[in-house]
Amino acid sequence: MKKETLCVQSGYQSRNGEPRVLPIYQSTTYSYDSSEELAKLFDLSKDGHMYSRISNPTSECVEKKVSALEGGVGAMMTSSGQAASLISILNITNSGDNFLCFSNLYGGTTNLFAVTLKKMGIEARFIDYAMSDEEIESLIDEKTTLLFGETISNPSLEVLDIERYASLAHRNGIPLIVDNTFATPILCRPFEFGADIVVHSTSKYMDGHAEVVGGMIVDSGNFDWTDYPSLTEPDESYHGVIYTKQFGKAAYITKARTQLMRDLGSTPSPFSAFLLNNGLETLHLRMERHSENALAVAKHLKSHSKVAWVSYPGLESDKYHSLAEKYLEKGMASGVVSFGTINGKKGATAFMDSLKLAKICVHVADLRTCVLHPASTTHRQLTDEQLESAGIKPEFIRFSTGIENIEDIIADIDQALENV
Ligand SMILES: *Cc1c(COP(=O)(O)O)cnc(C)c1O
């Protein structure tokens, strides 16, 4: 089935006389006819739900839908995008190990990697798009476990050259993990270009209505984990199960659930999964409209005298346009436009405070147009150098274009720019 059909139809399948719409299984527990039956689940020798911290039938349907959309072998929903990123790393990285990541990552991810993982004895080594392969490879050693990047970076909107970094990673025996939040599988399926694991903050376009915080990890099933002892050696916390042996291509995602979700418990509620599924059912339509509106906004801003610069990979003049053409669905570059007003931070603040339709929100990527000034909010904790390497200037505005009528959005922008 094509992506549009998967959005609507995949995941939950109703059988004779059953509800047509995904039911909410609001239950922590599952009952069994014998202790023998339940024991098989604890041995991982049989599939099934035992406790909703680990899995739940409503969440499972949504996991299947996202896995189908990305073209993976399995997915796991988490209670937030942050939890998805954390688990994607911890699943193959231990204290004393290090990993590579790009410096343009979402500010929350940068904090997690540079501050919290550091306290856990895991070192994030930051790299950028300007570095040569040799420079990057000089940072890889036998303790390096993975490479992490964002398809379209939040908020600098730089497009990741997935094929280049996938082959660099594979040459060095490590997987490429891609945060596909801004693109969604409607615009890009990173596995088709060699990425091994995809993570999402489903709080953004996937939910789309700004109702539920959530995350997802998807496994391509393609990476060879031979050199990762945590997947190839017996897990004593599961009666010595060897993930690669018992679960083959789904080793990574199975371990993420049965070991890390069991232990960390960053589980979404079944109701959150239900709401996410509602969002996913219209994702394909919304991504088209977001992209169409954002391109119109970007073109309009570019020709405006109160605007210093515009960054949007959908613009032909954009530095990342050719990568967008290669990796993103034709003519669609998602809904976020970054730009700077004239008059620096003062200009940016005057613009933001004058908006009427667009609201100032921390959130991004939902159906209502909203704006944010990253330097004074989401990226406030970063040092000036980190801000610069994350591509954030003082006048930087992140404009998240909604799916309202484009003329109304542009009218709001124009009246606000008059005050800059
Ligand atoms: C928001 C976001 C996250 C974090 O997700 P939460 O759901 O807020 O925890 C991670 N990556 C990207 C690209 C994001 O935009």
Side-chain angles (χ1 to χ4, degrees):
M1 287 188 287
K2 304 268 192 295
K3 290 192 265 204
E4 295 78 1
T5 315
L6 292 173
C7 281
V8 179
Q9 296 276 356
S10 66
Y12 173 67
Q13 304 292 330
S14 57
R15 287 168 304 197
N16 190 38
E18 286 183 348
R20 181 66 185 101
V21 172
L22 173 65
I24 304 168
Y25 290 96
Q26 196 70 51
S27 180
T28 58
T29 53
Y30 307 87
S31 61
Y32 288 91
D33 291 342
S34 70
S35 17
E36 170 80 27
E37 279 288 300
L38 187 54
K40 285 182 191 155
L41 299 189
F42 276 91
D43 277 346
L44 299 183
S45 61
K46 196 170 173 246
D47 264 357
H49 303 287
M50 54 170 133
Y51 187 49
S52 283
R53 177 169 8 96
I54 299 166
S55 67
N56 169 280
T58 306
S59 307
E60 184 183 19
C61 289
V62 186
E63 286 159 347
K64 283 188 174 150
K65 179 173 282 188
V66 175
S67 182
L69 279 166
E70 288 287 7
V73 295
M76 181 176 78
M77 211 183 147
T78 57
S79 53
S80 68
Q82 288 296 94
S85 300
L86 172 67
I87 291 176
S88 77
I89 306 279
L90 290 186
N91 206 31
I92 46 171
T93 311
N94 298 312
S95 175
D97 290 340
N98 65 73
F99 68 95
L100 299 183
C101 61
F102 290 97
S103 51
N104 63 5
L105 298 178
Y106 166 69
T109 309
T110 303
N111 281 333
L112 167 66
F113 289 180
V115 180
T116 300
L117 285 182
K118 190 175 173 190
K119 289 183 193 160
M120 299 166 79
I122 294 169
E123 183 200 352
R125 297 183 174 172
F126 288 88
I127 57 174
D128 60 53
Y129 295 172
M131 288 169 77
S132 68
D133 285 8
E134 294 70 36
E135 284 173 300
I136 295 172
E137 283 175 318
S138 72
L139 294 171
I140 299 178
D141 56 35
E142 71 285 357
K143 291 282 188 191
T144 308
T145 58
L146 61 97
L147 169 53
F148 191 106
E150 287 176 12
T151 317
I152 305 174
S153 61
N154 174 8
S156 58
L157 309 182
E158 295 165 320
V159 179
L160 184 72
D161 190 346
I162 302 174
E163 275 181 2
R164 173 182 166 196
Y165 296 111
S167 66
L168 186 153
H170 297 159
R171 273 204 305 281
N172 291 279
I174 59 174
L176 174 65
I177 302 185
V178 172
D179 180 336
N180 199 30
T181 299
F182 267 25
T184 82
I186 302 302
L187 269 51
C188 176
R189 295 199 231 198
F191 296 157
E192 290 175 358
F193 301 102
D196 302 287
I197 306 293
V198 157
V199 296
H200 281 283
S201 165
T202 61
S203 326
K204 313 296 165 54
Y205 291 116
M206 282 192 164
D207 162 37
H209 298 73
E211 289 170 351
V212 214
V213 172
M216 191 76 72
I217 306 176
V218 194
D219 185 352
S220 70
N222 294 332
F223 194 76
D224 176 0
W225 300 107
T226 307
D227 294 329
Y228 288 73
S230 61
L231 286 153
T232 57
E233 285 174 9
D235 179 354
E236 294 315 329
S237 73
Y238 263 118
H239 313 298
V241 65
I242 296 174
Y243 292 102
T244 45
K245 209 161 143 194
Q246 196 158 332
F247 302 101
K249 277 184 167 298
Y252 175 96
I253 200 71
T254 306
K255 175 177 180 282
R257 181 187 303 283
T258 55
Q259 189 190 72
L260 290 179
M261 190 56 94
R262 177 198 65 185
D263 295 353
L264 300 175
S266 47
T267 315
S269 81
F271 185 57
S272 298
F274 171 81
L275 291 175
L276 173 57
N277 189 58
N278 279 355
L280 289 166
E281 286 173 347
T282 56
L283 181 66
H284 53 301
L285 294 176
R286 288 184 287 103
M287 290 316 289
E288 266 180 41
R289 181 61 67 86
H290 279 295
S291 300
E292 189 185 307
N293 281 357
L295 182 61
V297 164
K299 283 183 175 163
H300 184 75
L301 288 170
K302 191 133 177 97
S303 65
H304 203 291
S305 59
K306 298 281 182 78
V307 174
W309 54 268
V310 183
S311 165
Y312 181 67
L315 286 175
E316 270 170 37
S317 56
D318 195 81
K319 192 175 166 195
Y320 290 95
H321 188 66
S322 59
L323 287 174
E325 297 238 283
K326 174 168 181 184
Y327 292 111
L328 305 180
E329 199 64 33
K330 196 172 178 329
M332 293 202 272
S334 205
V336 182
V337 177
S338 294
F339 72 100
T341 55
I342 56 168
N343 296 336
K345 189 174 171 179
K346 233 178 106 209
T349 315
F351 171 77
M352 306 253 313
D353 294 351
S354 308
L355 288 164
K356 296 195 170 91
L357 177 146
K359 293 277 187 283
I360 299 175
C361 293
V362 167
H363 197 60
V364 61
D366 73 76
L367 46 75
R368 299 167 199 89
T369 296
C370 61
V371 277
L372 182 81
H373 184 236
S376 61
T377 52
T378 44
H379 289 63
R380 206 182 172 83
Q381 318 304 338
L382 304 192
T383 63
D384 286 352
E385 281 122 59
Q386 282 176 319
L387 277 178
E388 198 178 311
S389 59
I392 295 158
K393 301 193 183 90
E395 73 278 14
F396 191 120
I397 291 168
R398 183 180 73 185
F399 193 90
S400 176
T401 319
I403 59 172
E404 302 92 343
N405 182 289
I406 187 59
E407 288 171 25
D408 291 333
I409 298 173
I410 288 182
D412 192 34
I413 290 175
D414 282 347
Q415 64 82 22
L417 281 174
E418 276 174 29
N419 298 318
V420 169

